[in-house]
Amino acid sequence: GFYTIEFFYKGPYAYGTALFTGAMMTATSVGITARVLQDMGKLNTEEGTTILSAAVIDDVLGIIVLAIVIAIAGVNGAPMSTWEISVVVIKAIVFWVVLLFFGLKFSDKISQFLHLFKGPGSQLAVAISFGLFISYVAYLLGLAMIIGAYAAGLALSSSAHKEFLAQRLRPIYEFLVPIFFVVMGMLVDVRKIPTIAELGLLIVIFAILGKYVGCAIAAYVGGFNKTGSSRVGFGMIPRGEVGLIVAYYGLSYGVVTQEIYVIAVVMSFVTTMITPMLLKYS
């Protein structure tokens, strides 16, 4: 993604745009992958659990990559030095590890604390407040707020109230997620599509091949046969929410142009649409 933009894109902020494009292509969509596997009844197969675990891990890595890209591109001021970028990476990793450690270590205490709230909806309100607070802490540390939100969710995932909270969050999820995708779509200027069709096609092809080849080889080395490796490769292709968030960050900072944002949305759409067909075929 980075080198494609470096070689073929002649727009403004080419270096920063290339960085954000590479970051957009990093993370497999956990939600899309999980839904496809669930609908096929393959969620608990060896390939299914491998795909889902890898998708969660590279969501985390994709968000950390976003923090690195923001630092390198210097969208919040002057571009950072290698040392400053290293500090950002260390802060992001330490932030994750500390939150996860406390979440796992004190899961019983968290559950007991949530259990103190008896009123309707109060436990959900506390959980959401925790997520917003941790997002704000991430912001104060100079990290993207999505890093804090994701880390807060992982910290709460070890609580005994996990299933209860997930159930209560479902209506909010069903209300906000369509709005998120509609807003992302509304930012697209469809008139730009003909002007970047060739570059967009190239990015889409590399997005598919990059995930398929890279993940299939890793799965094969990890012990899967050729068929299983191919399934893992296909399952890792779809991009979704994290890629769009990265693209939106770039667009809001003025680094990603409208043309590249259109490519990000098209890439997410195409990779999402072809994955179910490829998985069923395999």
Side-chain angles (χ1 to χ4, degrees):
F2 175 84
Y3 285 114
T4 303
I5 298 299
E6 278 276 275
F7 288 135
F8 299 109
Y9 181 66
K10 305 304 178 187
Y13 314 114
Y15 182 71
T17 303
L19 286 170
F20 271 92
T21 304
M24 290 171 207
M25 294 168 69
T26 301
T28 296
S29 171
V30 176
I32 293 164
T33 308
R35 180 57 189 267
V36 172
L37 291 168
Q38 186 176 15
D39 288 351
M40 292 175 63
K42 303 292 184 182
L43 195 59
N44 295 317
T45 61
E46 194 172 355
E47 292 94 339
T49 52
T50 300
I51 291 166
L52 208 57
S53 301
V56 170
I57 291 167
D58 85 351
D59 254 12
V60 173
L61 294 176
I63 293 166
I64 293 174
V65 165
L66 172 62
I68 297 167
V69 164
I70 289 172
I72 295 173
V75 294
N76 289 325
M80 295 185 177
S81 66
T82 304
W83 166 247
E84 290 171 321
I85 292 164
S86 301
V87 170
V88 169
V89 176
I90 291 166
K91 279 197 295 187
I93 293 171
V94 169
F95 185 72
W96 277 88
V97 170
V98 168
L99 261 180
L100 284 175
F101 172 78
F102 281 105
L104 294 169
K105 180 81 173 175
F106 300 105
S107 59
D108 292 339
K109 298 290 184 185
I110 293 170
S111 297
Q112 289 170 14
F113 176 73
L114 287 171
H115 198 66
L116 294 173
F117 297 87
K118 306 291 185 182
S122 55
Q123 293 175 351
L124 179 62
V126 171
I128 292 174
S129 299
F130 175 69
L132 293 172
F133 174 72
I134 298 300
S135 299
Y136 182 61
V137 172
Y139 169 75
L140 292 178
L141 291 172
L143 303 171
M145 286 186 283
I146 185 179
I147 292 177
Y150 210 123
L154 288 177
L156 287 172
S157 68
S158 55
S159 163
H161 289 71
K162 177 180 71 173
E163 298 295 337
F164 172 79
L165 290 172
Q167 183 182 5
R168 290 300 178 92
L169 279 167
R170 189 78 194 176
I172 300 173
Y173 164 86
E174 289 174 348
F175 174 69
L176 289 179
V177 170
I179 292 175
F180 166 76
F181 282 107
V182 167
V183 170
M184 293 297 103
M186 286 171 65
L187 293 172
V188 172
D189 183 353
V190 293
R191 292 170 298 182
K192 301 288 185 182
I193 293 176
T195 64
I196 44 84
E198 292 178 3
L199 181 61
L201 181 62
L202 206 56
I203 290 287
V204 169
I205 290 170
F206 286 152
I208 294 167
L209 290 179
K211 279 286 183 182
Y212 174 74
V213 174
C215 296
I217 290 172
Y220 189 75
V221 172
F224 282 95
N225 59 24
K226 289 182 180 179
T227 303
S229 301
S230 186
R231 290 170 180 164
V232 172
F234 286 141
M236 293 295 289
I237 287 173
R239 314 305 203 280
E241 55 286 343
V242 174
L244 290 175
I245 289 168
V246 172
Y248 175 74
Y249 265 98
L251 188 67
S252 63
Y253 284 127
V255 177
V256 169
T257 59
Q258 180 60 231
E259 290 88 350
I260 301 300
Y261 181 79
V262 170
I263 290 175
V265 173
V266 171
M267 178 194 68
S268 297
F269 177 75
V270 173
T271 55
T272 298
M273 293 298 290
I274 68 167
T275 299
M277 293 182 285
L278 292 172
L279 276 174
K280 286 176 181 176
Y281 167 76
S282 67

